[in-house]
Amino acid sequence: MRYDPSRPAGRLLLTPEDKEAPARTRRLCQLGLNERPDPGLDAYAGRLAEVTGAPYAMVNFIDENRQFFAGLHVPDVPPAAAVRPDGSAPVLGRELTRDHGFCPHVVVRRKALVLEDVRDYPRFAGNAIVDEFGVRSYLGAPLVDSTGMVLGTVCVADVEPRPWGRPGLESIKASAAELVARLERREADGLPLL
């Protein structure tokens, strides 16, 4: 973990130290996974959102400096919790720094993370994603390839607390394993992603 002194007082940011980031970056470049959005991965994120009923779903690859959503599903209409007092809403783009969100924790932990209400966890309650997008719950699992490398995550987020429970955990882990198998089949066949 590291402390970022540039953050405003009272807002500690604990981002996990990621010793595998250089090797992961090389592997992602080799696979071509951290360069551009992929319509197949967007569709995969859309199915994940549909299955879980979450407004946000991502296939997220994390390199040394950023998170890249090669697959992204966002709601057509922003949830009310994400709308600012002036009526505007933040737009979730394809990239985030490593100190935003919860996926960097999943990657370093190498295991799924279930946050039914992020406000219950001081480490996560002050995250910029919580404040900017109104995220209140998160469910994510690592994408671990056959070499043992964690490439990134599949995850969903909601603006309401969610009792994901054991079914949610098992579902996100199965989704991660399924996606890794599909990515590796494509790599072995020399085909484009999905």
Side-chain angles (χ1 to χ4, degrees), residues 35-194:
E35 300 169 359
R36 65 191 182 291
D38 184 276
L41 293 176
D42 283 343
Y44 193 87
R47 288 189 301 274
L48 192 57
E50 185 177 318
V51 166
T52 61
Y56 299 101
M58 286 83 48
V59 176
N60 186 6
F61 298 112
I62 301 174
D63 64 22
E64 292 177 89
N65 302 307
R66 68 183 176 125
Q67 303 176 64
F68 178 70
F69 302 125
L72 178 64
H73 173 83
V74 296
D76 293 332
V77 176
V83 177
R84 298 177 182 127
D86 68 2
S88 67
V91 176
L92 181 60
R94 293 283 180 166
E95 291 186 26
L96 284 177
T97 62
R98 286 192 68 254
D99 62 351
H100 284 61
F102 315 105
C103 293
H105 296 270
V106 172
V107 167
V108 172
R109 290 166 31 113
R110 303 181 65 86
K111 61 182 183 177
L113 178 63
V114 178
L115 300 171
E116 294 183 346
D117 188 339
V118 297
R119 295 184 306 179
D120 291 341
Y121 303 89
R123 172 183 292 166
F124 301 116
N127 195 289
I129 296 299
V130 175
D131 295 338
E132 189 171 348
F133 291 90
V135 169
R136 290 282 304 282
S137 61
Y138 170 88
L139 179 64
L143 296 167
V144 184
D145 73 7
S146 59
T147 71
M149 177 66 60
V150 179
L151 302 173
T153 66
V154 292
C155 64
V156 295
D158 202 338
V159 296
E160 301 291 332
R162 292 281 298 267
W164 301 108
R166 173 73 54 198
L169 178 62
E170 295 305 322
S171 175
I172 201 74
K173 288 166 60 176
S175 293
E178 174 194 343
L179 182 56
V180 167
R182 291 173 69 177
L183 292 173
E184 289 189 329
R185 275 195 307 274
R186 289 296 200 171
E187 178 189 23
D189 293 341
L191 298 172
L193 273 182
L194 296 173

Side-chain angles (χ1 to χ4, degrees), residues 1-21:
M1 299 284 177
R2 70 176 170 78
Y3 167 69
D4 184 347
S6 67
R7 301 291 287 192
R11 296 289 308 267
L12 295 180
L13 176 65
L14 298 174
T15 303
E17 184 179 355
D18 187 354
K19 294 178 181 177
E20 292 183 354

